[in-house]
Amino acid sequence: MKMKISATLLWISAIAEAFLAIPFLGGSLVISTGYSVLGFMFVLHAITLFFCFREYSPKSGPILGIITSLLAWIPLIGWALHLLSAIVLFINAASASRPRRI
């Protein structure tokens, strides 16, 4: 069985958010790129959300990811939002990867 595009994007987004949630390492990446990594993540979450709508996959992770991308420049709040987004995205990805029962 072929994996849906939305499921693949949810896994990629979850891994990226988890990396950004690593204390000091994620923050260093954000600061060293001049916060442009947050813009990249915003676009990634928007594309993921598009495919989630198209393929009827869970949407809470990409929506939370978009909010995180907009607020992650705030030091401690950004870390907490990256961590929360990663958790929700991993749950969404696991859910979207399961075959549907009829």
Side-chain angles (χ1 to χ4, degrees):
M1 178 177 253
K2 190 172 145 183
M3 186 183 282
K4 296 188 285 187
I5 295 170
S6 60
T8 303
L9 289 170
L10 285 166
W11 283 113
I12 292 168
S13 299
I15 292 167
E17 285 292 348
F19 179 79
L20 291 173
I22 299 172
F24 302 109
L25 190 59
S28 297
L29 177 66
V30 170
I31 291 170
S32 69
T33 62
Y35 296 87
S36 63
V37 74
L38 298 178
F40 172 80
M41 290 303 294
F42 180 88
V43 172
L44 177 62
H45 291 306
I47 292 168
T48 303
L49 184 61
F50 170 79
F51 280 101
C52 286
F53 272 112
R54 188 171 148 200
E55 298 175 352
Y56 304 104
S57 295
K59 296 155 194 67
S60 55
I63 291 170
L64 183 58
I66 288 170
I67 294 167
T68 298
S69 297
L70 296 173
L71 297 176
W73 57 272
I74 305 168
L76 290 177
I77 293 173
W79 169 79
L81 285 172
H82 283 304
L83 185 60
L84 182 63
S85 293
I87 292 167
V88 173
L89 283 161
F90 276 121
I91 293 168
N92 285 176
S95 175
S97 297
R98 278 185 280 157
R100 295 187 75 133
R101 289 190 211 160
I102 300 176

